[in-house]
mmCIF file of all heavy atoms in Angstrom:
data_model
loop_
_atom_site.group_PDB
_atom_site.id
_atom_site.type_symbol
_atom_site.label_atom_id
_atom_site.label_comp_id
_atom_site.label_asym_id
_atom_site.label_seq_id
_atom_site.Cartn_x
_atom_site.Cartn_y
_atom_site.Cartn_z
ATOM 1 N N LEU A 328 -50.603 -265.008 -129.065
ATOM 2 C CA LEU A 328 -50.728 -265.630 -130.402
ATOM 3 C C LEU A 328 -50.171 -267.058 -130.217
ATOM 4 O O LEU A 328 -49.107 -267.310 -129.685
ATOM 5 C CB LEU A 328 -49.881 -264.934 -131.327
ATOM 6 C CG LEU A 328 -50.116 -265.183 -132.863
ATOM 7 C CD1 LEU A 328 -51.565 -264.737 -133.210
ATOM 8 C CD2 LEU A 328 -49.090 -264.440 -133.754
ATOM 9 N N PHE A 332 -51.006 -271.000 -134.847
ATOM 10 C CA PHE A 332 -51.445 -269.889 -135.827
ATOM 11 C C PHE A 332 -50.194 -269.363 -136.502
ATOM 12 O O PHE A 332 -50.230 -269.169 -137.735
ATOM 13 C CB PHE A 332 -52.167 -268.740 -135.024
ATOM 14 C CG PHE A 332 -52.601 -267.680 -135.939
ATOM 15 C CD1 PHE A 332 -53.803 -267.677 -136.577
ATOM 16 C CD2 PHE A 332 -51.757 -266.567 -136.155
ATOM 17 C CE1 PHE A 332 -54.187 -266.608 -137.448
ATOM 18 C CE2 PHE A 332 -52.121 -265.556 -137.022
ATOM 19 C CZ PHE A 332 -53.322 -265.546 -137.651
ATOM 20 N N ASN A 336 -49.815 -269.265 -140.561
ATOM 21 C CA ASN A 336 -49.962 -267.867 -140.997
ATOM 22 C C ASN A 336 -48.651 -267.036 -140.774
ATOM 23 O O ASN A 336 -48.702 -266.084 -140.068
ATOM 24 C CB ASN A 336 -51.104 -267.248 -140.452
ATOM 25 C CG ASN A 336 -52.385 -267.975 -140.681
ATOM 26 O OD1 ASN A 336 -52.964 -267.978 -141.736
ATOM 27 N ND2 ASN A 336 -52.896 -268.687 -139.627
ATOM 28 N N LYS A 337 -47.604 -267.529 -141.286
ATOM 29 C CA LYS A 337 -46.264 -266.914 -140.900
ATOM 30 C C LYS A 337 -46.224 -265.433 -141.155
ATOM 31 O O LYS A 337 -45.737 -264.632 -140.323
ATOM 32 C CB LYS A 337 -45.157 -267.614 -141.733
ATOM 33 C CG LYS A 337 -44.850 -268.981 -141.258
ATOM 34 C CD LYS A 337 -43.752 -269.641 -142.020
ATOM 35 C CE LYS A 337 -43.253 -270.875 -141.561
ATOM 36 N NZ LYS A 337 -43.934 -272.076 -141.797
ATOM 37 N N THR A 338 -46.551 -264.957 -142.352
ATOM 38 C CA THR A 338 -46.488 -263.475 -142.641
ATOM 39 C C THR A 338 -47.398 -262.727 -141.727
ATOM 40 O O THR A 338 -46.925 -261.672 -141.137
ATOM 41 C CB THR A 338 -46.834 -263.226 -144.128
ATOM 42 O OG1 THR A 338 -45.857 -264.031 -144.879
ATOM 43 C CG2 THR A 338 -46.664 -261.757 -144.408
ATOM 44 N N LEU A 339 -48.667 -263.075 -141.587
ATOM 45 C CA LEU A 339 -49.609 -262.330 -140.839
ATOM 46 C C LEU A 339 -49.134 -262.375 -139.280
ATOM 47 O O LEU A 339 -49.159 -261.359 -138.647
ATOM 48 C CB LEU A 339 -51.067 -263.056 -140.883
ATOM 49 C CG LEU A 339 -52.105 -262.342 -139.995
ATOM 50 C CD1 LEU A 339 -52.198 -260.877 -140.292
ATOM 51 C CD2 LEU A 339 -53.371 -263.062 -140.208
ATOM 52 N N ALA A 340 -48.688 -263.529 -138.851
ATOM 53 C CA ALA A 340 -48.244 -263.627 -137.407
ATOM 54 C C ALA A 340 -47.057 -262.681 -137.242
ATOM 55 O O ALA A 340 -47.021 -262.004 -136.114
ATOM 56 C CB ALA A 340 -47.894 -265.085 -137.106
ATOM 57 N N LYS A 341 -46.163 -262.575 -138.157
ATOM 58 C CA LYS A 341 -45.050 -261.727 -137.997
ATOM 59 C C LYS A 341 -45.472 -260.222 -137.995
ATOM 60 O O LYS A 341 -45.077 -259.405 -137.163
ATOM 61 C CB LYS A 341 -44.051 -261.882 -139.058
ATOM 62 C CG LYS A 341 -42.748 -261.028 -139.013
ATOM 63 C CD LYS A 341 -41.772 -261.315 -140.131
ATOM 64 C CE LYS A 341 -40.672 -260.268 -140.112
ATOM 65 N NZ LYS A 341 -40.655 -259.391 -141.108
ATOM 66 N N ASP A 342 -46.365 -259.937 -138.930
ATOM 67 C CA ASP A 342 -46.822 -258.551 -139.057
ATOM 68 C C ASP A 342 -47.604 -258.023 -137.800
ATOM 69 O O ASP A 342 -47.379 -256.872 -137.390
ATOM 70 C CB ASP A 342 -47.741 -258.394 -140.340
ATOM 71 C CG ASP A 342 -46.910 -258.375 -141.601
ATOM 72 O OD1 ASP A 342 -45.668 -258.374 -141.565
ATOM 73 O OD2 ASP A 342 -47.536 -258.512 -142.688
ATOM 74 N N ILE A 343 -48.502 -258.935 -137.321
ATOM 75 C CA ILE A 343 -49.347 -258.349 -136.185
ATOM 76 C C ILE A 343 -48.607 -258.271 -134.810
ATOM 77 O O ILE A 343 -49.073 -257.585 -133.994
ATOM 78 C CB ILE A 343 -50.648 -259.208 -135.937
ATOM 79 C CG1 ILE A 343 -50.370 -260.664 -135.663
ATOM 80 C CG2 ILE A 343 -51.475 -259.079 -137.218
ATOM 81 C CD1 ILE A 343 -51.574 -261.430 -135.294
ATOM 82 N N VAL A 344 -47.410 -258.764 -134.827
ATOM 83 C CA VAL A 344 -46.563 -258.639 -133.611
ATOM 84 C C VAL A 344 -45.481 -257.608 -133.695
ATOM 85 O O VAL A 344 -44.784 -257.249 -132.818
ATOM 86 C CB VAL A 344 -46.019 -259.949 -133.057
ATOM 87 C CG1 VAL A 344 -47.134 -260.901 -132.689
ATOM 88 C CG2 VAL A 344 -45.029 -260.596 -133.957
#
Side-chain angles (χ1 to χ4, degrees):
L328 197 65
F332 180 87
N336 303 284
K337 289 180 170 82
T338 303
L339 177 58
K341 179 180 178 250
D342 287 348
I343 63 175
V344 300

